[in-house]
């Protein structure tokens, strides 16, 4: 089925500022570790109220036979383009592709916006790719139609891989030498404007160990876009509106997850994107349904989880919707205390940083 999924807002007195923490800039990871699974792992046990320091390769010890690990197999595209306004090579422009709306039509983030008025024509890659600004959509984003040589390029993804740049977050200022390190090893479906970063820690060998323990691996898909990393600009939490993102859950994955849960296994979400996808497609009885559609689900304290039993996640930006989701899964005080511990223990933060497991 296809639909737009937005959860009912939970009434809360919490403010955006309630999710602030102080992070020294030097703890923001600028590059991935040499070995993906060598990152540190903070383990929070909700029932016991304990906190442990491990490494990511130890995560198998916390999994049980019969569990199901739910991964987001979306693949990051080289979504950042640098070009200029047609006929004005001095009028530089930067484009970030956020979401495909039609075959060659995308919702984009443009800098500077004043150079991308409706009707403007843009040029990228010395003319290999041109674009027309069709309309201005919410948040000032632009709907842009692309044109290229269809005999030379199979689709827009093939030309993006030639002239596009990986869309690293602005807090990563060092050059990424190996583009594959901003992809999960199981990335399959092209379309994300940012990586589902919790999955970056897994290696093929670690996934083999997970399967050998009797844990199933079920892929779902959420193309990471503006909804995931857009900052919260309102003071009151329940006034924030999420930007929708495209999700799919196959019949096979839904069946596997439901069967494992019915047999007593836990659903372990790898990352906030997998978590949001699952919570978007699960009914009040805890049954996961196959879906192909949009989600604008916003999870913050007060939300009642219907699907996810454990969560693997990175350490997120202060006052972000991701910190709010993690706080909803445990509680705000415990999560902020864990973040302070991570700062004190010199954990690495954000996309290329360390991980957290909440059970």
């Amino acid at each position: 089925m296809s639909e737009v999924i937005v959860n009912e807002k939970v009434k809360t007195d919490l403010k955006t500022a309630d999710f602030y923490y102080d992070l020294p800039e030097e703890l923001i990871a600028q590059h991935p570790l040499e070995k993906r699974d060598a990152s540190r792992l903070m383990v929070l046990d909700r029932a016991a109220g304990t906190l442990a320091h491990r490494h990511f390769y130890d995560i198998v010890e916390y999994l049980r036979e019969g569990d199901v690990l739910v991964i987001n197999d979306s693949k990051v595209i080289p979504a950042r383009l640098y070009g200029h306004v047609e006929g004005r090579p001095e009028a530089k422009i930067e484009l970030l592709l956020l979401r495909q709306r039609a075959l060659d039509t995308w919702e984009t983030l443009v800098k500077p916006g004043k150079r991308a008025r409706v009707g403007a024509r843009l040029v990228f890659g010395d003319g290999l790719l041109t674009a027309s600004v069709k309309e201005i959509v919410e948040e000032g984003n632009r709907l842009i139609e692309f044109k290229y040589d269809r005999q030379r390029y199979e689709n827009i993804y093939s030309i993006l891989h030639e002239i596009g740049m990986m869309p690293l977050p602005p807090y990563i200022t060092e050059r990424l030498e190996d583009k594959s390190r901003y992809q999960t090893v199981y990335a399959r479906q092209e379309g994300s404007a940012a990586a589902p970063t919790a999955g970056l820690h897994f290696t093929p060998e670690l996934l083999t160990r997970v399967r050998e323990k009797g844990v199933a691996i079920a892929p779902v898909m959420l193309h990471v876009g503006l909804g995931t990393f857009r900052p919260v600009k309102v003071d009151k939490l329940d006034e924030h509106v999420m930007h929708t993102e495209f999700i799919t859950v196959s019949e096979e994955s839904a069946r596997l997850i439901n069967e494992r849960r019915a047999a007593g296994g836990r659903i372990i979400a790898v990352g906030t994107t997998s978590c949001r996808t699952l919570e978007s497609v699960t009914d009040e009885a805890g049954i996961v349904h196959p879906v192909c559609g949009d989600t604008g689900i916003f999870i913050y304290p007060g939300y009642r989880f219907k699907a996810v039993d454990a969560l693997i996640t990175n350490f997120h930006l202060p006052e972000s919707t991701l910190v709010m989701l993690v706080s909803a899964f445990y509680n705000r005080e415990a999560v902020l205390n864990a973040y302070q511990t991570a700062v004190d223990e010199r954990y690495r933060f954000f996309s290329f940083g360390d991980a957290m497991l909440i059970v």
Side-chain angles (χ1 to χ4, degrees), residues 92-298:
K92 305 298 184 184
I93 202 151
E94 177 185 340
L95 218 65
L96 177 64
L97 279 66
L98 294 174
R99 176 162 180 183
Q100 191 172 23
R101 295 295 184 181
L103 179 62
D104 289 318
T105 302
W106 286 72
E107 183 176 346
T108 66
L109 207 57
V110 185
K111 295 180 183 176
K114 63 183 179 181
R115 291 180 179 166
R117 298 184 176 91
V118 174
R121 288 178 55 81
L122 314 174
V123 180
F124 304 95
D126 294 326
L128 290 177
L129 183 67
T130 60
S132 301
V133 180
K134 293 302 181 183
E135 65 176 280
I136 299 175
V137 292
E138 60 177 312
E139 295 294 310
N141 297 344
R142 270 44 172 193
L143 204 62
I144 288 186
E145 182 181 10
F146 292 98
K147 291 185 178 179
Y148 50 91
D149 185 345
R150 291 183 177 277
Q151 292 185 327
R152 180 175 177 181
Y153 298 100
E154 180 182 357
N155 53 38
I156 193 168
Y157 297 113
S158 55
I159 193 169
L160 287 174
H161 283 289
E162 184 172 325
I163 68 173
M165 304 286 289
M166 290 300 278
L168 293 178
Y171 50 75
I172 295 177
T173 57
E174 294 185 11
R175 182 181 176 84
L176 179 64
E177 297 298 333
D178 181 359
K179 289 183 179 181
S180 70
R181 294 306 306 273
Y182 197 57
Q183 302 277 18
T184 63
V185 297
Y186 46 74
R188 295 291 180 271
Q189 303 186 63
E190 290 192 305
S192 275
T197 54
L200 295 177
H201 305 282
F202 282 98
T203 65
E205 296 76 18
L206 184 55
L207 291 170
T208 296
R209 289 176 56 207
V210 167
R211 292 187 181 95
E212 288 173 346
K213 190 154 187 178
V215 176
I217 298 176
V220 299
M221 192 279 293
L222 180 147
H223 282 329
V224 183
L226 199 57
T228 295
F229 56 83
R230 175 184 168 200
V232 180
K233 297 180 180 178
V234 294
D235 293 330
K236 295 182 178 179
L237 218 59
D238 51 15
E239 292 179 357
H240 178 67
V241 178
M242 293 287 282
H243 198 276
T244 61
E245 293 164 303
F246 184 68
I247 63 171
T248 60
V249 177
S250 68
E251 291 188 7
E252 182 181 358
S253 287
R255 176 187 55 77
L256 177 59
I257 295 167
N258 289 330
E259 287 178 356
R260 288 277 174 144
R261 192 173 213 190
R266 297 174 301 171
I267 298 178
I268 300 163
V270 180
T272 57
T273 59
S274 296
C275 177
R276 291 178 59 231
T277 301
L278 286 168
E279 292 299 319
S280 297
V281 303
T282 303
D283 63 27
E284 293 299 324
I287 304 299
V288 174
H289 296 272
V291 162
C292 178
D294 294 339
T295 183
I297 192 169
F298 178 27

